[in-house]
Amino acid sequence: MSSGYDQLLGATIQHLEALKARGVRHVAVAPETLQALALPAPRRVAPAPVDQPSARATSPLIPVRVSPVAAMTPPVESPALFTAEAKTTFAVPLDPAGKAAAFSELRTRALACGKCPHLASSRKRVVFGVGNIESPLMFVGEAPGADEDERGEPFVGKAGQLLTKIIETMGLSRADVYIANILKCRPDTPGESAGNRKPTPEEMTTCLPYLHEQIDLIQPKVLVALGGTAVEGLLGKTIGITKLRGTWKSYRNIPLMPTYHPAYLLRSQALSEKRHVWEDMLQVMERLDLPISEKQRKFFTKA
Ligand code: URA
């Protein structure tokens, strides 16, 4: 009969093989797990016959020395640690062809998704994401609206046009960055012909693995979370975006800049809020070592 250790090892290998088959090329591992994995595997310990007490000291099956860390840490962590919740990512760079293939497989899977039957039946298109999968910069929004649902592309409506302007003011184009959402389907609004609604926590939990996989594959150097829902989806934080914006956070070791959603800027129309977003983008540009002109620096400074 296999030991608990063997069963756990088997389950872990099976889980990693399944991830590999889905195109995932690296996993997030908690630092303490990494430390434990660096230790030699524990040897099987034959129970010492009661009449041979000295066997413990001499059998080759018995570890001679147990390090203090090994003594405190289970030999193999549960496969549950290899999830989005783990805090640290040790990313192995992917070759572009392998990345493109894995991304295409992920996209195919997402486009056929029916995990939220109410959204699968109300959507016109799944809005997977758009842009350069080799980009060091990735923007994450909330969910598609009516325009995005129609076109199958994120941020193409009024808020999207403003986001495009922001990206262009940074000296980039939409094709230079990657843009995705927490939710890949438009949240349905039964009985209403217009308007949007915030994704429910269940919808977010169901859809988030697609975004986690997108980020895992793209491996951006900087993430920009547009609005409170994006921050909540990526960091699990529920404190307001007003408090969070402009301060660097971290998503699995990737620097993350929370900022206002462009739809909020359209609603508010306050110059001060636009300036805040621009200040956040200047921080992003600095982090990415992008050139910043005098004009860009002074964009919103009062004359
Ligand atoms: N708002 C979002 O959060 N995402 C879109 O794609 C469009 C509008």
Side-chain angles (χ1 to χ4, degrees):
M1 202 178 72
S2 64
S3 68
Y5 174 79
D6 287 335
Q7 284 172 12
L8 196 52
L9 188 61
T12 305
I13 291 169
Q14 209 177 5
H15 180 72
L16 292 174
E17 294 284 2
L19 287 178
K20 193 174 164 196
R22 280 170 28 207
V24 176
R25 292 291 175 270
H26 68 278
V27 291
V29 185
E32 58 273 22
T33 307
L34 203 67
Q35 207 175 17
L37 287 171
L39 296 164
R43 301 189 196 147
R44 286 170 186 77
V45 179
V50 281
D51 58 342
Q52 290 177 18
S54 63
R56 233 190 123 58
T58 54
S59 166
L61 289 173
I62 298 169
V64 177
R65 188 169 55 85
V66 178
S67 85
V69 176
M72 287 186 304
T73 319
V76 174
E77 298 286 352
S78 143
L81 275 173
F82 297 103
T83 65
E85 285 76 46
K87 292 283 178 287
T88 310
T89 293
F90 297 89
V92 179
L94 299 171
D95 70 285
K99 188 192 252 195
F103 215 78
S104 157
E105 186 276 335
L106 172 60
R107 184 188 171 86
T108 304
R109 240 183 313 126
L111 295 193
C113 185
K115 288 184 199 165
C116 302
H118 62 296
L119 299 186
S121 62
S122 65
R123 76 186 176 215
K124 288 191 179 137
R125 288 168 189 249
V126 172
V127 181
F128 178 67
V130 73
N132 182 354
I133 64 170
E134 297 293 341
S135 178
L137 177 56
M138 180 166 176
F139 289 86
V140 177
E142 179 176 302
D147 295 312
E148 290 76 21
D149 183 49
E150 192 72 45
R151 301 242 316 251
E153 183 173 331
F155 284 99
V156 291
K158 285 214 167 68
Q161 285 159 23
L162 180 52
L163 176 64
T164 305
K165 246 189 210 165
I166 294 169
I167 292 168
E168 287 172 355
T169 310
M170 294 169 81
L172 304 168
S173 74
R174 278 173 74 99
D176 291 324
V177 302
Y178 196 84
I179 308 173
N181 281 309
I182 297 285
L183 227 63
K184 308 298 185 220
C185 291
R186 182 179 186 218
D188 61 345
T189 49
E192 292 177 37
S193 56
N196 295 317
R197 72 163 169 84
K198 190 173 146 43
T200 65
E202 292 72 28
E203 288 166 346
M204 286 170 69
T205 306
T206 306
C207 204
L208 266 167
Y210 292 121
L211 181 64
H212 291 310
E213 283 193 56
Q214 284 174 305
I215 299 172
D216 281 350
L217 287 168
I218 293 173
Q219 298 178 8
K221 291 206 163 46
V222 168
L223 280 161
V224 174
L226 300 164
T229 304
V231 175
E232 195 181 321
L234 289 169
L235 302 182
K237 294 228 164 47
T238 50
I239 52 169
I241 185 70
T242 313
K243 284 220 173 89
L244 285 177
R245 68 137 285 276
T247 56
W248 286 106
K249 303 285 173 239
S250 174
Y251 164 88
R252 299 204 215 172
N253 271 2
I254 302 171
L256 181 149
M257 174 56 70
T259 197
Y260 292 133
H261 193 288
Y264 166 72
L265 295 184
L266 291 176
R267 282 196 307 274
S268 131
Q269 287 296 340
L271 196 65
S272 59
E273 303 297 53
K274 286 188 183 146
R275 183 186 304 135
H276 279 142
V277 170
W278 184 241
E279 282 163 3
D280 301 344
M281 294 309 102
L282 286 175
Q283 287 202 64
V284 167
M285 290 169 75
E286 273 167 11
R287 192 88 186 213
L288 290 170
D289 283 329
L290 288 172
I292 304 179
S293 68
E294 243 350 71
K295 190 175 166 199
Q296 282 170 319
R297 271 213 196 278
K298 298 212 168 119
F299 211 79
F300 276 101
T301 48
K302 287 178 198 141

